[in-house]
């Protein structure tokens, strides 16, 4: 236990240094239309390059950042960097592509996310609809009234809103109906066994059918196999993200991906 505590302390110190010394980077995973195969947008995923340990996964350091409060500077950095990036994309093949960032529950509890986002958009001269925020159900359920106010403020400002990892939490569509959401992302755990587990297939189909009735755009996460893509497409899922299409990559690679195949460039307008 001591060794583990020490490890965490070390990691916490290192994370502080990482934020100061800019050892953090955003990678970008494109989202695709399942009907046309065109890129419809991208998700920014945080990466930390530790000088000795190499790349550390966000699955490891986001929970630590949430516990220690470091999520506040970290989250601010992500918002700022995402807006800077969208601005940089103007005048490149990525002009007009919507970029999604992940917002964590602790970030919402400790800061005024709506204000931070609007300040960053304004500072970089970015149109609000080009930024999308992904939040989990548990974040929204933690303090429903605060979440409602925040989401309405963001929505009124023209920012796109998505619910992430849907299916892993409360999974109540009647509950999420209270929030002004644009899209719903089906969690990777349901997509994983879609092709050989009838229950997961039924759950996915039911989520898609219900979310469509509520007017939400549906995105499936973690598509790795062609059979999964086909099933989701025929069940009415709009978009997909996953290793079958592309892994998260640095901005230059995403730019090249669109430059070499301009037909992949979606209209980015829905
Ligand atoms: P998420 O937002 O649900 O992101 C999707 C995760 O699934 C990413 O992992 C992505 O690399 C991975 N993924 C995408 N397609 C596939 C696939 O086909 N197969 C498999 N096995 N995995 C796939 P990543 O980058 O490790 O991020 C993990 C989680 O960390 C994210 O889940 C998100 O909750 C959190 N995270 C990442 N960046 C940020 C950030 O900037 N802020 C906050 N608060 N959380 C972040
Ligand atoms: Mg996400
Ligand atoms: Mg997710």
């Amino acid at each position: 236990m001591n060794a583990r505590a020490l490890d965490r302390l070390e990691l916490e110190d290192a994370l502080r240094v990482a934020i100061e010394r800019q050892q953090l980077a955003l990678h970008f995973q494109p989202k695709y239309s399942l009907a046309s195969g065109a890129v419809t947008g991208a998700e920014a995923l945080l990466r930390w390059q530790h000088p000795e340990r190499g790349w550390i996964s966000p699955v490891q350091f986001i929970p630590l950042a949430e516990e220690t409060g470091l999520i506040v500077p970290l989250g601010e950095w992500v918002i700022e960097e995402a807006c800077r990036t969208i601005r940089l994309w103007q005048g490149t093949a990525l002009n007009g592509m919507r970029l999604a960032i992940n917002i964590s529950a602790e970030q919402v509890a400790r800061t005024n996310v709506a204000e931070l986002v609007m300040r960053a958009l304004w500072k970089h001269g970015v149109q609000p609809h080009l930024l999308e925020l992904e939040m989990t159900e548990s974040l929204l359920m933690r303090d429903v009234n605060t979440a409602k106010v925040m989401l309405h403020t963001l929505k009124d400002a023209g920012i796109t809103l998505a619910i992430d990892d849907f299916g892993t939490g409360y999974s109540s569509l009647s509950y999420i109906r209270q929030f002004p959401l644009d899209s719903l992302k089906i969690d990777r755990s349901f997509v994983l066994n879609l092709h050989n587990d009838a229950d997961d297939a039924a759950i996915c189909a039911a989520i898609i059918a219900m979310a469509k009735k509520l007017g939400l755009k549906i995105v499936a996460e973690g598509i790795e196999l062609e059979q999964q893509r086909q099933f989701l497409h025929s069940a009415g899922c709009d978009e997909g993200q996953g290793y079958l299409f592309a892994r998260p990559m640095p901005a230059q690679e995403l730019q090249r991906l669109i430059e070499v195949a301009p037909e992949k460039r979606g209209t980015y307008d829905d």
Side-chain angles (χ1 to χ4, degrees), residues 73-133:
L74 201 66
E76 275 188 49
W77 183 85
V78 171
I79 293 169
E80 180 70 26
E81 185 66 9
C83 291
R84 201 180 67 84
T85 303
I86 298 172
R87 180 69 205 210
L88 280 176
W89 286 353
Q90 289 180 8
T92 75
L94 302 180
N95 184 31
M97 185 184 287
R98 182 177 295 139
L99 183 61
I101 57 174
N102 293 282
I103 300 290
S104 86
E106 209 50 47
Q107 207 180 338
V108 171
R110 291 177 193 249
T111 55
N112 186 337
V113 170
E115 198 182 298
L116 286 173
V117 164
M118 289 198 282
R119 211 184 299 150
L121 287 170
W122 182 81
K123 179 178 163 193
H124 294 281
V126 167
Q127 291 171 279
H129 77 275
L130 293 178
L131 185 70
E132 178 165 358
L133 303 190

Coordinates of all heavy atoms in Angstrom, one line a residue, residues 73-133:
P73 N -6.9 22.9 -13.6 CA -5.9 23.4 -14.6 C -5.9 22.6 -15.9 O -5.8 23.1 -17.0 CB -4.6 23.5 -13.9 CG -4.7 22.6 -12.7 CD -6.2 22.6 -12.3
L74 N -6.0 21.2 -15.7 CA -6.0 20.3 -16.8 C -7.1 20.6 -17.8 O -7.0 20.7 -19.0 CB -6.1 18.9 -16.3 CG -5.5 17.8 -17.1 CD1 -4.1 17.9 -17.3 CD2 -5.9 16.4 -16.4
G75 N -8.3 20.7 -17.2 CA -9.5 20.9 -18.0 C -9.5 22.2 -18.7 O -9.9 22.4 -19.9
E76 N -8.9 23.3 -18.0 CA -8.8 24.6 -18.6 C -7.9 24.5 -19.8 O -8.1 25.1 -20.9 CB -8.3 25.6 -17.6 CG -9.4 26.2 -16.8 CD -8.8 27.3 -15.9 OE1 -8.1 28.2 -16.4 OE2 -9.1 27.3 -14.7
W77 N -6.8 23.7 -19.6 CA -5.8 23.6 -20.7 C -6.5 22.9 -21.9 O -6.3 23.4 -23.1 CB -4.6 22.8 -20.2 CG -3.6 22.7 -21.3 CD1 -2.6 23.6 -21.6 CD2 -3.4 21.7 -22.3 NE1 -1.8 23.2 -22.7 CE2 -2.3 22.0 -23.1 CE3 -4.1 20.5 -22.6 CZ2 -1.9 21.2 -24.2 CZ3 -3.7 19.7 -23.6 CH2 -2.6 20.1 -24.4
V78 N -7.3 21.9 -21.7 CA -7.9 21.2 -22.8 C -8.9 22.2 -23.6 O -8.9 22.2 -24.8 CB -8.7 20.0 -22.3 CG1 -9.5 19.3 -23.4 CG2 -7.7 18.9 -21.8
I79 N -9.7 22.9 -22.8 CA -10.6 23.9 -23.5 C -9.9 24.9 -24.3 O -10.2 25.1 -25.5 CB -11.5 24.6 -22.4 CG1 -12.4 23.6 -21.7 CG2 -12.3 25.7 -23.0 CD1 -13.1 24.1 -20.4
E80 N -8.8 25.4 -23.7 CA -8.0 26.4 -24.4 C -7.3 25.9 -25.6 O -7.4 26.5 -26.7 CB -7.0 26.9 -23.3 CG -6.0 27.9 -23.8 CD -6.6 29.3 -23.9 OE1 -7.7 29.6 -23.3 OE2 -6.1 30.1 -24.8
E81 N -6.7 24.7 -25.5 CA -6.0 24.1 -26.6 C -7.0 23.7 -27.7 O -6.6 23.8 -28.9 CB -5.2 22.8 -26.1 CG -4.3 22.1 -27.0 CD -3.1 23.0 -27.5 OE1 -2.9 24.0 -27.0 OE2 -2.5 22.5 -28.5
A82 N -8.2 23.2 -27.4 CA -9.1 22.8 -28.4 C -9.6 24.0 -29.2 O -9.6 24.0 -30.5 CB -10.4 22.2 -27.7
C83 N -9.8 25.2 -28.5 CA -10.2 26.4 -29.3 C -9.1 26.9 -30.1 O -9.3 27.3 -31.3 CB -10.7 27.4 -28.3 SG -12.3 27.0 -27.5
R84 N -7.9 26.8 -29.6 CA -6.7 27.3 -30.4 C -6.6 26.4 -31.6 O -6.3 26.9 -32.7 CB -5.4 27.1 -29.5 CG -4.3 28.0 -29.9 CD -3.1 27.8 -29.0 NE -2.5 26.4 -29.0 CZ -1.6 26.0 -29.9 NH1 -1.2 26.9 -30.8 NH2 -1.2 24.8 -30.0
T85 N -6.8 25.1 -31.5 CA -6.7 24.2 -32.6 C -7.7 24.4 -33.6 O -7.4 24.4 -34.8 CB -6.8 22.7 -32.0 OG1 -5.8 22.5 -31.0 CG2 -6.6 21.7 -33.1
I86 N -9.0 24.6 -33.2 CA -10.0 24.9 -34.2 C -9.7 26.1 -35.0 O -9.8 26.2 -36.2 CB -11.4 25.1 -33.5 CG1 -11.8 23.8 -32.8 CG2 -12.5 25.5 -34.5 CD1 -13.1 24.0 -31.9
R87 N -9.1 27.1 -34.3 CA -8.7 28.3 -35.0 C -7.6 28.1 -36.0 O -7.6 28.5 -37.2 CB -8.3 29.4 -34.0 CG -7.8 30.7 -34.5 CD -9.0 31.4 -35.1 NE -8.6 32.4 -36.1 CZ -9.2 33.5 -36.3 NH1 -10.3 33.8 -35.7 NH2 -8.8 34.3 -37.2
L88 N -6.6 27.2 -35.6 CA -5.5 26.9 -36.5 C -6.0 26.1 -37.7 O -5.4 26.2 -38.8 CB -4.5 26.0 -35.8 CG -3.5 26.6 -34.8 CD1 -2.7 25.6 -34.1 CD2 -2.6 27.6 -35.6
W89 N -7.1 25.4 -37.6 CA -7.6 24.6 -38.7 C -8.2 25.4 -39.8 O -8.4 25.0 -40.9 CB -8.6 23.5 -38.2 CG -8.0 22.4 -37.5 CD1 -6.6 22.1 -37.4 CD2 -8.6 21.3 -36.8 NE1 -6.4 21.0 -36.7 CE2 -7.6 20.5 -36.3 CE3 -9.9 21.0 -36.5 CZ2 -7.9 19.3 -35.5 CZ3 -10.2 19.9 -35.8 CH2 -9.2 19.0 -35.3
Q90 N -8.6 26.7 -39.4 CA -9.1 27.6 -40.5 C -8.0 27.8 -41.5 O -6.9 28.0 -41.1 CB -9.5 28.9 -39.8 CG -10.8 28.8 -39.0 CD -11.2 30.1 -38.4 OE1 -10.7 31.2 -38.7 NE2 -12.2 30.0 -37.5
G91 N -8.4 27.7 -42.7 CA -7.3 27.9 -43.8 C -6.6 26.6 -44.1 O -5.7 26.5 -44.8
T92 N -7.0 25.4 -43.4 CA -6.4 24.1 -43.8 C -7.6 23.2 -44.3 O -8.7 23.7 -44.3 CB -5.8 23.4 -42.6 OG1 -6.8 22.9 -41.7 CG2 -4.9 24.4 -41.8
A93 N -7.2 22.0 -44.6 CA -8.3 21.0 -45.1 C -9.3 20.7 -44.0 O -10.4 20.2 -44.2 CB -7.6 19.7 -45.5
L94 N -8.9 21.1 -42.7 CA -9.8 20.8 -41.6 C -10.7 21.9 -41.2 O -11.5 21.9 -40.2 CB -9.0 20.4 -40.4 CG -8.0 19.2 -40.5 CD1 -7.3 18.9 -39.3 CD2 -8.8 18.0 -40.9
N95 N -10.7 23.0 -42.1 CA -11.6 24.1 -41.8 C -13.0 23.7 -41.7 O -13.5 23.0 -42.5 CB -11.4 25.1 -43.0 CG -12.2 26.4 -42.7 OD1 -12.4 26.8 -41.6 ND2 -12.7 27.0 -43.8
G96 N -13.7 24.1 -40.6 CA -15.1 23.8 -40.4 C -15.4 22.5 -39.8 O -16.6 22.2 -39.5
M97 N -14.3 21.7 -39.4 CA -14.6 20.5 -38.8 C -14.9 20.7 -37.3 O -14.2 21.4 -36.6 CB -13.4 19.5 -38.9 CG -13.7 18.2 -38.3 SD -12.3 17.1 -38.3 CE -12.1 16.6 -39.9
R98 N -16.0 20.1 -36.8 CA -16.4 20.2 -35.4 C -15.5 19.4 -34.5 O -15.2 18.2 -34.8 CB -17.8 19.9 -35.2 CG -18.3 20.1 -33.8 CD -19.7 19.8 -33.6 NE -20.6 20.7 -34.4 CZ -21.6 20.3 -35.0 NH1 -22.0 19.1 -35.1 NH2 -22.4 21.2 -35.7
L99 N -15.0 20.0 -33.4 CA -14.1 19.3 -32.5 C -14.8 19.1 -31.2 O -15.3 20.0 -30.6 CB -12.8 20.1 -32.3 CG -11.7 19.4 -31.5 CD1 -11.3 18.1 -32.0 CD2 -10.5 20.3 -31.3
A100 N -14.8 17.8 -30.7 CA -15.5 17.5 -29.4 C -14.4 17.4 -28.3 O -13.3 16.9 -28.6 CB -16.2 16.2 -29.5
I101 N -14.7 17.9 -27.1 CA -13.8 17.7 -26.0 C -14.6 17.0 -24.9 O -15.8 17.1 -24.8 CB -13.2 19.0 -25.4 CG1 -14.2 20.0 -25.0 CG2 -12.2 19.6 -26.4 CD1 -13.6 21.2 -24.3
N102 N -13.9 16.3 -24.0 CA -14.5 15.6 -22.9 C -14.5 16.5 -21.6 O -13.4 17.0 -21.3 CB -13.8 14.3 -22.6 CG -13.9 13.3 -23.7 OD1 -15.0 12.6 -23.9 ND2 -12.9 13.2 -24.6
I103 N -15.6 16.5 -20.9 CA -15.7 17.3 -19.7 C -16.0 16.3 -18.6 O -16.8 15.5 -18.7 CB -16.8 18.3 -19.8 CG1 -16.6 19.3 -21.0 CG2 -17.0 19.1 -18.5 CD1 -15.5 20.3 -20.8
S104 N -15.2 16.5 -17.5 CA -15.4 15.5 -16.4 C -16.3 16.1 -15.3 O -16.4 17.3 -15.2 CB -14.1 15.1 -15.8 OG -13.6 15.9 -14.8
A105 N -16.9 15.2 -14.5 CA -17.8 15.6 -13.4 C -17.2 16.6 -12.4 O -17.8 17.6 -12.0 CB -18.4 14.4 -12.7
E106 N -16.0 16.3 -12.0 CA -15.3 17.1 -11.0 C -15.0 18.5 -11.6 O -15.0 19.4 -10.8 CB -14.0 16.3 -10.6 CG -13.5 16.6 -9.2 CD -14.6 16.4 -8.1 OE1 -15.3 15.4 -8.2 OE2 -14.7 17.3 -7.3
Q107 N -14.7 18.5 -12.9 CA -14.5 19.8 -13.5 C -15.8 20.7 -13.4 O -15.7 21.9 -13.1 CB -14.2 19.5 -15.0 CG -13.4 20.5 -15.7 CD -13.2 20.0 -17.2 OE1 -13.3 18.9 -17.5 NE2 -12.8 21.0 -18.0
V108 N -16.9 20.1 -13.6 CA -18.2 20.8 -13.5 C -18.4 21.2 -12.1 O -18.9 22.3 -11.8 CB -19.3 20.0 -14.1 CG1 -20.7 20.6 -13.8 CG2 -19.1 19.7 -15.6
A109 N -18.1 20.3 -11.1 CA -18.3 20.6 -9.7 C -17.4 21.8 -9.2 O -17.8 22.5 -8.4 CB -18.1 19.4 -8.9
R110 N -16.2 21.9 -9.8 CA -15.2 22.8 -9.2 C -15.1 24.1 -10.0 O -14.5 25.1 -9.5 CB -13.8 22.2 -9.2 CG -13.7 21.1 -8.2 CD -12.3 20.4 -8.3 NE -12.2 19.2 -7.5 CZ -11.5 19.0 -6.5 NH1 -10.8 20.0 -5.9 NH2 -11.4 17.9 -5.9
T111 N -15.6 24.1 -11.3 CA -15.4 25.4 -12.1 C -16.7 25.7 -12.8 O -17.6 24.9 -12.9 CB -14.3 25.2 -13.1 OG1 -14.6 24.1 -13.9 CG2 -12.9 25.0 -12.5
N112 N -16.7 27.0 -13.3 CA -17.8 27.4 -14.2 C -17.4 27.0 -15.6 O -16.8 27.8 -16.3 CB -18.1 28.8 -14.0 CG -19.3 29.3 -14.7 OD1 -19.7 28.7 -15.7 ND2 -19.9 30.4 -14.3
V113 N -17.8 25.8 -16.0 CA -17.3 25.3 -17.4 C -17.9 26.2 -18.5 O -17.2 26.5 -19.4 CB -17.8 23.8 -17.5 CG1 -17.6 23.4 -19.0 CG2 -17.0 23.0 -16.6
A114 N -19.2 26.6 -18.4 CA -19.8 27.4 -19.4 C -19.0 28.7 -19.6 O -18.7 29.1 -20.8 CB -21.2 27.7 -19.1
E115 N -18.6 29.3 -18.5 CA -17.9 30.6 -18.6 C -16.5 30.4 -19.3 O -16.1 31.1 -20.1 CB -17.7 31.2 -17.2 CG -17.4 32.7 -17.2 CD -17.2 33.2 -15.8 OE1 -18.2 33.1 -15.1 OE2 -16.1 33.6 -15.5
L116 N -15.8 29.3 -18.8 CA -14.5 29.0 -19.3 C -14.5 28.8 -20.9 O -13.7 29.3 -21.6 CB -13.9 27.8 -18.7 CG -13.4 27.9 -17.2 CD1 -13.0 26.5 -16.7 CD2 -12.2 28.8 -17.2
V117 N -15.5 28.0 -21.3 CA -15.7 27.7 -22.7 C -16.0 28.9 -23.5 O -15.3 29.2 -24.5 CB -16.8 26.6 -22.9 CG1 -17.3 26.5 -24.3 CG2 -16.4 25.3 -22.3
M118 N -16.9 29.7 -23.0 CA -17.2 30.9 -23.8 C -16.1 31.9 -23.9 O -15.9 32.5 -24.9 CB -18.5 31.5 -23.2 CG -19.6 30.6 -23.6 SD -21.3 31.2 -23.5 CE -21.5 31.2 -21.8
R119 N -15.3 32.0 -22.8 CA -14.2 32.9 -22.8 C -13.1 32.4 -23.8 O -12.6 33.2 -24.6 CB -13.5 33.0 -21.4 CG -12.9 34.3 -21.1 CD -12.2 34.4 -19.8 NE -13.1 34.2 -18.7 CZ -12.7 33.6 -17.5 NH1 -11.4 33.2 -17.4 NH2 -13.5 33.4 -16.6
A120 N -12.9 31.1 -23.9 CA -11.9 30.6 -24.8 C -12.3 30.7 -26.2 O -11.5 31.0 -27.1 CB -11.6 29.1 -24.5
L121 N -13.6 30.5 -26.5 CA -14.2 30.7 -27.9 C -14.0 32.1 -28.3 O -13.5 32.4 -29.4 CB -15.7 30.4 -27.9 CG -16.1 28.9 -27.8 CD1 -17.6 28.8 -27.6 CD2 -15.7 28.1 -29.0
W122 N -14.3 33.0 -27.4 CA -14.2 34.5 -27.8 C -12.7 34.8 -28.0 O -12.4 35.5 -29.0 CB -14.8 35.3 -26.6 CG -14.8 36.7 -26.9 CD1 -15.6 37.4 -27.6 CD2 -13.8 37.7 -26.4 NE1 -15.3 38.8 -27.6 CE2 -14.1 38.9 -26.9 CE3 -12.7 37.6 -25.5 CZ2 -13.4 40.1 -26.6 CZ3 -12.0 38.7 -25.2 CH2 -12.3 39.9 -25.8
K123 N -11.8 34.4 -27.1 CA -10.4 34.7 -27.2 C -9.8 34.3 -28.5 O -9.0 35.0 -29.1 CB -9.7 34.0 -26.0 CG -8.2 34.2 -26.0 CD -7.5 33.6 -24.9 CE -6.0 33.4 -25.1 NZ -5.4 32.5 -24.1
H124 N -10.2 33.1 -29.0 CA -9.6 32.6 -30.2 C -10.5 32.9 -31.5 O -10.2 32.4 -32.6 CB -9.4 31.1 -30.1 CG -8.3 30.8 -29.1 ND1 -7.0 30.9 -29.3 CD2 -8.4 30.4 -27.8 CE1 -6.3 30.6 -28.3 NE2 -7.2 30.3 -27.3
G125 N -11.6 33.6 -31.3 CA -12.4 33.9 -32.4 C -13.0 32.7 -33.1 O -13.0 32.6 -34.3
V126 N -13.5 31.7 -32.3 CA -14.0 30.5 -32.8 C -15.6 30.5 -32.8 O -16.2 30.9 -31.8 CB -13.5 29.3 -32.0 CG1 -14.2 28.0 -32.3 CG2 -12.0 29.1 -32.3
Q127 N -16.2 30.0 -33.9 CA -17.7 30.0 -33.9 C -18.1 28.8 -32.9 O -17.6 27.7 -33.0 CB -18.2 29.6 -35.3 CG -18.0 30.8 -36.3 CD -18.3 30.2 -37.7 OE1 -17.5 29.6 -38.3 NE2 -19.6 30.5 -38.1
P128 N -19.1 29.1 -32.0 CA -19.5 28.1 -31.0 C -19.9 26.8 -31.6 O -19.6 25.8 -30.9 CB -20.7 28.8 -30.3 CG -20.6 30.3 -30.6 CD -19.9 30.4 -31.9
H129 N -20.5 26.7 -32.7 CA -21.0 25.4 -33.2 C -19.9 24.5 -33.6 O -20.1 23.3 -33.8 CB -22.0 25.6 -34.4 CG -21.3 25.9 -35.7 ND1 -21.0 27.2 -36.0 CD2 -20.9 25.1 -36.7 CE1 -20.3 27.1 -37.2 NE2 -20.3 25.9 -37.6
L130 N -18.7 25.0 -33.7 CA -17.5 24.2 -34.0 C -17.0 23.4 -32.8 O -16.1 22.6 -33.0 CB -16.4 25.0 -34.7 CG -16.7 25.6 -36.1 CD1 -15.6 26.4 -36.6 CD2 -17.1 24.5 -37.0
L131 N -17.5 23.8 -31.6 CA -17.0 23.1 -30.4 C -18.2 22.2 -29.9 O -19.3 22.7 -29.8 CB -16.6 24.1 -29.4 CG -16.0 23.5 -28.1 CD1 -14.6 22.9 -28.4 CD2 -15.9 24.5 -27.0
E132 N -17.8 21.0 -29.5 CA -18.8 20.1 -28.9 C -18.3 19.6 -27.6 O -17.1 19.4 -27.4 CB -19.0 18.9 -29.9 CG -19.9 17.8 -29.4 CD -20.3 16.8 -30.5 OE1 -19.9 17.0 -31.6 OE2 -21.1 15.9 -30.2
L133 N -19.2 19.5 -26.6 CA -18.8 19.1 -25.3 C -19.4 17.7 -25.1 O -20.6 17.5 -25.3 CB -19.2 20.0 -24.2 CG -18.7 21.5 -24.2 CD1 -19.1 22.2 -22.9 CD2 -17.2 21.6 -24.5

